[in-house]
Amino acid sequence: MAAVAAVALLLTGVVALQLIRGAAEHQALDTLDQQARIVANVVDRAERLPPRRLFGGQQIRLVRIRPDGRTTGAAAALLTPADRTALGSGADVRAVRRSSGRRYFVVGRPVEGGGAVALVQPASVAGAVTSGARRRILAALLIGLVGAAIAGFLLSRRLARPLQQAAAAAHDLAGGRRDVRLTPAGPAEVAEVAQALNTLAAALTTSEGRQREFLLSVSHELRTPLTAVKGFAEALADGVVPAPDVAATGATMLAEATRLERLVSDLLGLARLGADDFRLDLIRTDVSALARQAAQVWSARCEREGVDLRLEADGGPVLAVVDPTRLRQILDGLAENALRATPAGRPLVFAVRRDSRDVVLEVRDGGPGLTDDDVRVAFERSALYDRYRGTRRVGTGVGLALIAGLVARMGGHAEAGHAPEGGACFGIRVPATDSPHPGPAHPDSAPAGRR
């Protein structure tokens, strides 16, 4: 800042000095021109007076050009042939000439009756007149430079201190500290940096707290089936399980292993969502046909649970550009959750419809349903799991978060709400397409739309 101020002041000083010099020379020429006009009127008497008496201490020299062309005066050499010609033709001369490395003002006037007079004055006289002004300008510039340096130093300290504190806080956050907080200070922009770091520290604290809670929850869920599998395996290895109970013991171990496999699979899927190599094969898909196929598979399982499975779908194709495998994974995940919460004798509904721009796929149930607060946090990782663990049959705690991430990667979004059947409604919206021809979403890529 001090350097910028110094450059600005120096440029201002140079321009000001040049302007003063130009104005002084112009004024000197004007004064010399007025004197030349007077001398031209009284040239005969002026020639008889010595220059010091005639012009004082202005160092002006008189040059006389007579009607016959003869020139008198010590400074006659400063008149060029063009000057002599112009004066001989009755024109005025006003110029700056250089001789022996010095600059001179030359002003000439024709004399009535013939001939001309010229006054020659060193340009340094004008410089001497402005030397006081130049000294005052230089003094003002020096004072301004010192003031700018002091102001720059104080302002830089005011700016640098909070920025240095912010940098130190950022390093502390990177090192793992989460109790770092700054007091916003300095200009508004610098104070905003401190506030942003405070917000970041709070967000990191919240995020890492949620991660710890999630890991603790997952650890508990992993330990439960592992404990069961280990206990039954030890019993089988020790031969303490009676022969008639071996099949039941094996079935229990299989169920616990399946539960463990599903949890691990959900965790891996959720982790891969943020990876660059996560792949989706987007093609134009009839969502209505996909829902009918899923309903045929789930009808047998719902019948075993005593749940009435219904399908609500339009008669014609309902097309969207999606990954059909991932969409079926989403539908199966929602159906798994719904069937787990739906008591016998209550309905479970697969519904497909199209509104103005989107294809909507819903899974509704007749279970206990969700509160308004549940709806707001339904797709947050482990939110519903933590609330209803121990009071309802729950899944792995990451299934809904995985579904929301998959739908987002396909350009849609997931929704939760209240079902007209009295339970919960989970659904997704994906952009619809009007093309009736199935095929790659992007013909120039193979496989199409993969990302």
Side-chain angles (χ1 to χ4, degrees), residues 421-438:
E421 289 77 14
C425 173
F426 290 94
I428 65 168
R429 286 180 175 268
V430 290
T433 179
D434 293 323
S435 174
H437 304 292

Side-chain angles (χ1 to χ4, degrees), residues 270-306:
L270 189 62
R272 288 185 56 210
L273 273 179
D276 293 335
D277 62 348
F278 186 81
R279 307 177 74 85
L280 289 175
D281 295 327
L282 301 180
I283 60 174
R284 295 180 181 90
T285 303
D286 184 357
V287 180
S288 179
L290 187 144
R292 282 194 291 270
Q293 294 172 1
Q296 292 176 359
V297 174
W298 280 90
S299 60
R301 185 172 174 182
C302 289
E303 184 176 354
R304 288 196 300 270
E305 300 288 340

Side-chain angles (χ1 to χ4, degrees), residues 97-160:
R97 299 284 181 249
R98 186 177 293 275
S99 176
S100 301
R102 298 183 65 186
R103 298 171 67 248
Y104 294 89
F105 299 141
V106 177
V107 174
R109 285 274 181 175
V111 176
E112 188 176 353
V117 295
L119 300 182
V120 178
Q121 183 183 36
S124 59
V125 174
V129 173
T130 61
S131 61
R134 289 200 299 269
R135 285 193 297 271
R136 288 189 290 272
I137 288 177
L138 290 175
L141 290 176
L142 182 59
I143 294 172
L145 181 59
V146 173
I150 295 173
F153 174 74
L154 295 176
L155 185 57
S156 64
R157 285 178 59 87
R158 184 167 181 261
L159 289 174

Side-chain angles (χ1 to χ4, degrees), residues 42-195:
V42 294
V43 62
D44 293 332
R45 285 175 290 174
E47 277 188 305
R48 293 192 292 271
L49 296 174
R52 181 172 295 277
R53 183 178 176 185
L54 182 62
F55 300 110
Q58 301 179 59
Q59 303 181 37
I60 298 175
R61 302 175 187 179
L62 174 63
V63 178
R64 173 73 187 273
I65 302 175
R66 299 187 182 279
D68 57 3
R70 289 185 300 112
T71 304
T72 60
L78 291 171
L79 293 177
T80 65
D83 295 338
R84 297 171 187 272
T85 301
L87 290 171
S89 63
D92 296 338
V93 171
R94 182 186 176 110
V96 179
R97 299 284 181 249
R98 186 177 293 275
S99 176
S100 301
R102 298 183 65 186
R103 298 171 67 248
Y104 294 89
F105 299 141
V106 177
V107 174
R109 285 274 181 175
V111 176
E112 188 176 353
V117 295
L119 300 182
V120 178
Q121 183 183 36
S124 59
V125 174
V129 173
T130 61
S131 61
R134 289 200 299 269
R135 285 193 297 271
R136 288 189 290 272
I137 288 177
L138 290 175
L141 290 176
L142 182 59
I143 294 172
L145 181 59
V146 173
I150 295 173
F153 174 74
L154 295 176
L155 185 57
S156 64
R157 285 178 59 87
R158 184 167 181 261
L159 289 174
R161 185 179 294 109
L163 287 177
Q164 289 170 346
Q165 293 173 350
H171 288 302
D172 289 341
L173 287 173
R177 287 187 57 189
R178 296 295 178 259
D179 59 343
V180 178
R181 295 296 184 272
L182 295 174
T183 301
E189 294 82 358
V190 179
E192 187 175 354
V193 173
Q195 187 61 48

Side-chain angles (χ1 to χ4, degrees), residues 92-372:
D92 296 338
V93 171
R94 182 186 176 110
V96 179
R97 299 284 181 249
R98 186 177 293 275
S99 176
S100 301
R102 298 183 65 186
R103 298 171 67 248
Y104 294 89
F105 299 141
V106 177
V107 174
R109 285 274 181 175
V111 176
E112 188 176 353
V117 295
L119 300 182
V120 178
Q121 183 183 36
S124 59
V125 174
V129 173
T130 61
S131 61
R134 289 200 299 269
R135 285 193 297 271
R136 288 189 290 272
I137 288 177
L138 290 175
L141 290 176
L142 182 59
I143 294 172
L145 181 59
V146 173
I150 295 173
F153 174 74
L154 295 176
L155 185 57
S156 64
R157 285 178 59 87
R158 184 167 181 261
L159 289 174
R161 185 179 294 109
L163 287 177
Q164 289 170 346
Q165 293 173 350
H171 288 302
D172 289 341
L173 287 173
R177 287 187 57 189
R178 296 295 178 259
D179 59 343
V180 178
R181 295 296 184 272
L182 295 174
T183 301
E189 294 82 358
V190 179
E192 187 175 354
V193 173
Q195 187 61 48
L197 279 173
N198 290 340
T199 303
L200 175 61
L204 287 173
T205 301
T206 302
S207 176
E208 291 180 354
R210 289 177 177 174
Q211 290 179 12
R212 283 192 295 271
E213 293 175 0
F214 174 70
L215 289 175
L216 290 173
S217 174
V218 169
S219 299
H220 175 75
E221 290 302 310
L222 289 173
R223 187 179 294 111
T224 301
L226 282 174
T227 301
V229 171
K230 181 180 178 181
F232 283 113
E234 289 177 348
L236 288 174
D238 294 339
V240 298
V241 178
D245 297 335
V246 170
T249 301
T252 302
M253 293 175 62
L254 178 61
E256 294 298 320
T258 302
R259 178 185 173 192
L260 185 61
E261 180 186 24
R262 186 171 65 250
L263 176 59
V264 172
S265 177
D266 285 350
L267 289 172
L268 289 175
L270 189 62
R272 288 185 56 210
L273 273 179
D276 293 335
D277 62 348
F278 186 81
R279 307 177 74 85
L280 289 175
D281 295 327
L282 301 180
I283 60 174
R284 295 180 181 90
T285 303
D286 184 357
V287 180
S288 179
L290 187 144
R292 282 194 291 270
Q293 294 172 1
Q296 292 176 359
V297 174
W298 280 90
S299 60
R301 185 172 174 182
C302 289
E303 184 176 354
R304 288 196 300 270
E305 300 288 340
V307 173
D308 180 19
L309 178 63
R310 305 171 188 171
L311 175 65
E312 297 178 359
D314 296 336
V318 180
L319 300 177
V321 178
V322 295
D323 183 329
T325 301
R326 295 295 183 181
L327 186 62
R328 177 59 188 270
Q329 179 184 353
I330 290 169
L331 181 55
D332 288 344
L334 293 176
E336 179 79 28
N337 289 342
L339 183 60
R340 189 182 299 114
T342 304
R346 301 294 297 166
L348 191 154
V349 180
F350 293 174
V352 179
R353 68 177 187 277
R354 174 173 176 172
D355 59 15
S356 58
R357 293 182 301 176
D358 297 329
V359 171
V360 181
L361 173 62
E362 291 179 341
V363 176
R364 307 194 302 263
D365 63 67
L370 304 173
T371 66
D372 291 338

